[in-house]
Amino acid sequence: MLYRENGQFKTSYRADNAVFPIRQDQIAIGLILLVAFVVVPAFASEYLFRAILIPFLILSLAALGLNVLVGYCGQISLGTGAFMAVGAYAAYNFQVRIEGMPLIASLLLGGLASTVVGVFFGVPSLRIKGLYLAVATLAAQFFCDWAFLRISWFTNNSASGNVSVSNLQVLGFPIESPVQKYLFCLAFVVVFATLTKNLVRSAIGREWMAMRDMDVAASVIGIRPVYAKLSAFAVSSFIVGVAGALWGFVHLGSWEPAAFSIDRSFQLLFMVIIGGLGSVMGAFFGAAFIIILPILLSQAPHWLGIPIATETSSHLEFMVFGALIVFFLIKEPHGLARLWATAKEKLRLWPFPH
């Protein structure tokens, strides 16, 4: 009854093609943003910011970038961790080698550097696809791991191989406390999610989806595979690179190449699969699921009074992840986002669903 469209008349093409054409969706998004920007900073604890909220926002942004490539364009990638590392190390070098470089400019330039690397490793997608393309992007992961570990220039000749940043500030305002870091990341996520949502609804987004559904038919009707695939790699790598820079600068503060290992690539791929391929909302669902589930699994035995060893709890986490991925691939390939969309459709028709 609360999710009806009765009386909501569209009198222009702009209103009919709005990102959120239903008034209830507009109100819900407004309330979510109000809670995120006002309520959460006022009441959340420091642990909640550091352990859950900030990682959730940054990994949501990285999953959003990966979803552009995998979900919307249909190009498999196993090198997301490498593109995050490129963004982090490039932003670090811009920050330490150029005096007075603004923080936001460093982060965006890190994303731009990741774009260049992503397009370079995306060139094989013009000839290969599927498992072969996944192996080609996997090569990017191994190459970047080797480069950032062995070439000392990337780490500013650090003897330990670790790099660190401090005294972050934007326009003279410090980014030091958990609340400030949270709001900084939240602003990035809101901007990039809005841009991505509009981009996938545009002509280039339709080209990506045409290449995903059937690339031969797309090329027959005039879509250029070179432009469509490489643009998807470029946009995806840029968003992932910015997320990697935020992960290093804001969340970690000090990091080494292991922070962007192949485990990170698989984690982001699991987020996209569980959250929903080809869905902006799916990136947030997947990130929330992957971050919150381990905490619940580690605490649930204690809540239930079941004695369990720490190593058994960690193994249980992997088992549950694997089982859920298989479940979603079989029962609901479009993930949690599709379940949410189905629930909304039923609410629109209730009490007369069909």
mmCIF file of all heavy atoms in Angstrom, residues 226-242:
data_model
loop_
_atom_site.group_PDB
_atom_site.id
_atom_site.type_symbol
_atom_site.label_atom_id
_atom_site.label_comp_id
_atom_site.label_asym_id
_atom_site.label_seq_id
_atom_site.Cartn_x
_atom_site.Cartn_y
_atom_site.Cartn_z
ATOM 1 N N VAL A 226 35.810 -1.789 -30.316
ATOM 2 C CA VAL A 226 37.018 -1.188 -29.758
ATOM 3 C C VAL A 226 36.648 -0.089 -28.778
ATOM 4 O O VAL A 226 37.143 -0.041 -27.639
ATOM 5 C CB VAL A 226 37.914 -0.638 -30.881
ATOM 6 C CG1 VAL A 226 39.111 0.107 -30.297
ATOM 7 C CG2 VAL A 226 38.382 -1.755 -31.794
ATOM 8 N N TYR A 227 35.784 0.794 -29.193
ATOM 9 C CA TYR A 227 35.389 1.918 -28.348
ATOM 10 C C TYR A 227 34.615 1.439 -27.128
ATOM 11 O O TYR A 227 34.870 1.885 -25.999
ATOM 12 C CB TYR A 227 34.531 2.892 -29.162
ATOM 13 C CG TYR A 227 33.990 4.051 -28.363
ATOM 14 C CD1 TYR A 227 34.798 5.128 -28.027
ATOM 15 C CD2 TYR A 227 32.659 4.061 -27.942
ATOM 16 C CE1 TYR A 227 34.300 6.189 -27.281
ATOM 17 C CE2 TYR A 227 32.155 5.112 -27.204
ATOM 18 C CZ TYR A 227 32.973 6.175 -26.874
ATOM 19 O OH TYR A 227 32.481 7.215 -26.133
ATOM 20 N N ALA A 228 33.660 0.513 -27.310
ATOM 21 C CA ALA A 228 32.810 0.073 -26.203
ATOM 22 C C ALA A 228 33.620 -0.653 -25.137
ATOM 23 O O ALA A 228 33.509 -0.356 -23.937
ATOM 24 C CB ALA A 228 31.694 -0.828 -26.729
ATOM 25 N N LYS A 229 34.462 -1.593 -25.549
ATOM 26 C CA LYS A 229 35.204 -2.388 -24.569
ATOM 27 C C LYS A 229 36.275 -1.558 -23.862
ATOM 28 O O LYS A 229 36.414 -1.618 -22.634
ATOM 29 C CB LYS A 229 35.833 -3.597 -25.251
ATOM 30 C CG LYS A 229 34.818 -4.635 -25.733
ATOM 31 C CD LYS A 229 35.506 -5.844 -26.337
ATOM 32 C CE LYS A 229 34.489 -6.894 -26.765
ATOM 33 N NZ LYS A 229 35.137 -8.097 -27.347
ATOM 34 N N LEU A 230 37.024 -0.779 -24.626
ATOM 35 C CA LEU A 230 38.094 -0.001 -24.003
ATOM 36 C C LEU A 230 37.534 1.110 -23.125
ATOM 37 O O LEU A 230 38.131 1.458 -22.103
ATOM 38 C CB LEU A 230 39.029 0.564 -25.064
ATOM 39 C CG LEU A 230 39.884 -0.463 -25.818
ATOM 40 C CD1 LEU A 230 40.877 0.232 -26.733
ATOM 41 C CD2 LEU A 230 40.618 -1.381 -24.839
ATOM 42 N N SER A 231 36.398 1.684 -23.502
ATOM 43 C CA SER A 231 35.792 2.704 -22.646
ATOM 44 C C SER A 231 35.311 2.088 -21.335
ATOM 45 O O SER A 231 35.402 2.715 -20.271
ATOM 46 C CB SER A 231 34.633 3.394 -23.369
ATOM 47 O OG SER A 231 33.597 2.467 -23.673
ATOM 48 N N ALA A 232 34.805 0.847 -21.391
ATOM 49 C CA ALA A 232 34.403 0.168 -20.157
ATOM 50 C C ALA A 232 35.612 -0.093 -19.269
ATOM 51 O O ALA A 232 35.553 0.116 -18.046
ATOM 52 C CB ALA A 232 33.691 -1.146 -20.487
ATOM 53 N N PHE A 233 36.717 -0.528 -19.858
ATOM 54 C CA PHE A 233 37.939 -0.725 -19.081
ATOM 55 C C PHE A 233 38.421 0.599 -18.485
ATOM 56 O O PHE A 233 38.889 0.642 -17.340
ATOM 57 C CB PHE A 233 39.033 -1.340 -19.953
ATOM 58 C CG PHE A 233 39.088 -2.839 -19.911
ATOM 59 C CD1 PHE A 233 38.454 -3.603 -20.870
ATOM 60 C CD2 PHE A 233 39.759 -3.492 -18.894
ATOM 61 C CE1 PHE A 233 38.491 -4.981 -20.830
ATOM 62 C CE2 PHE A 233 39.814 -4.870 -18.835
ATOM 63 C CZ PHE A 233 39.172 -5.628 -19.808
ATOM 64 N N ALA A 234 38.317 1.674 -19.258
ATOM 65 C CA ALA A 234 38.793 2.974 -18.786
ATOM 66 C C ALA A 234 37.965 3.465 -17.602
ATOM 67 O O ALA A 234 38.512 3.868 -16.564
ATOM 68 C CB ALA A 234 38.759 3.984 -19.928
ATOM 69 N N VAL A 235 36.648 3.457 -17.744
ATOM 70 C CA VAL A 235 35.775 3.942 -16.668
ATOM 71 C C VAL A 235 35.918 3.062 -15.433
ATOM 72 O O VAL A 235 36.034 3.553 -14.299
ATOM 73 C CB VAL A 235 34.309 3.983 -17.146
ATOM 74 C CG1 VAL A 235 33.376 4.308 -15.991
ATOM 75 C CG2 VAL A 235 34.151 5.013 -18.262
ATOM 76 N N SER A 236 35.921 1.747 -15.644
ATOM 77 C CA SER A 236 36.058 0.830 -14.518
ATOM 78 C C SER A 236 37.379 1.032 -13.788
ATOM 79 O O SER A 236 37.423 1.119 -12.552
ATOM 80 C CB SER A 236 35.941 -0.612 -15.006
ATOM 81 O OG SER A 236 36.240 -1.530 -13.979
ATOM 82 N N SER A 237 38.471 1.117 -14.535
ATOM 83 C CA SER A 237 39.791 1.277 -13.909
ATOM 84 C C SER A 237 39.911 2.606 -13.188
ATOM 85 O O SER A 237 40.570 2.689 -12.139
ATOM 86 C CB SER A 237 40.887 1.151 -14.974
ATOM 87 O OG SER A 237 40.826 -0.106 -15.612
ATOM 88 N N PHE A 238 39.296 3.657 -13.729
ATOM 89 C CA PHE A 238 39.350 4.952 -13.058
ATOM 90 C C PHE A 238 38.667 4.898 -11.694
ATOM 91 O O PHE A 238 39.226 5.339 -10.682
ATOM 92 C CB PHE A 238 38.697 6.022 -13.931
ATOM 93 C CG PHE A 238 38.689 7.391 -13.306
ATOM 94 C CD1 PHE A 238 39.839 8.166 -13.283
ATOM 95 C CD2 PHE A 238 37.543 7.897 -12.728
ATOM 96 C CE1 PHE A 238 39.849 9.424 -12.692
ATOM 97 C CE2 PHE A 238 37.527 9.148 -12.137
ATOM 98 C CZ PHE A 238 38.688 9.913 -12.123
ATOM 99 N N ILE A 239 37.465 4.329 -11.659
ATOM 100 C CA ILE A 239 36.737 4.249 -10.390
ATOM 101 C C ILE A 239 37.483 3.353 -9.408
ATOM 102 O O ILE A 239 37.630 3.688 -8.221
ATOM 103 C CB ILE A 239 35.307 3.731 -10.632
ATOM 104 C CG1 ILE A 239 34.535 4.702 -11.534
ATOM 105 C CG2 ILE A 239 34.569 3.547 -9.307
ATOM 106 C CD1 ILE A 239 33.159 4.211 -11.924
ATOM 107 N N VAL A 240 37.980 2.218 -9.896
ATOM 108 C CA VAL A 240 38.721 1.300 -9.028
ATOM 109 C C VAL A 240 40.013 1.946 -8.539
ATOM 110 O O VAL A 240 40.410 1.768 -7.373
ATOM 111 C CB VAL A 240 39.009 -0.017 -9.777
ATOM 112 C CG1 VAL A 240 39.989 -0.884 -9.000
ATOM 113 C CG2 VAL A 240 37.712 -0.784 -10.015
ATOM 114 N N GLY A 241 40.688 2.710 -9.407
ATOM 115 C CA GLY A 241 41.912 3.388 -9.000
ATOM 116 C C GLY A 241 41.668 4.414 -7.908
ATOM 117 O O GLY A 241 42.453 4.515 -6.947
ATOM 118 N N VAL A 242 40.594 5.186 -8.012
ATOM 119 C CA VAL A 242 40.247 6.151 -6.960
ATOM 120 C C VAL A 242 39.936 5.410 -5.659
ATOM 121 O O VAL A 242 40.342 5.833 -4.571
ATOM 122 C CB VAL A 242 39.066 7.026 -7.408
ATOM 123 C CG1 VAL A 242 38.584 7.898 -6.255
ATOM 124 C CG2 VAL A 242 39.464 7.898 -8.591
#
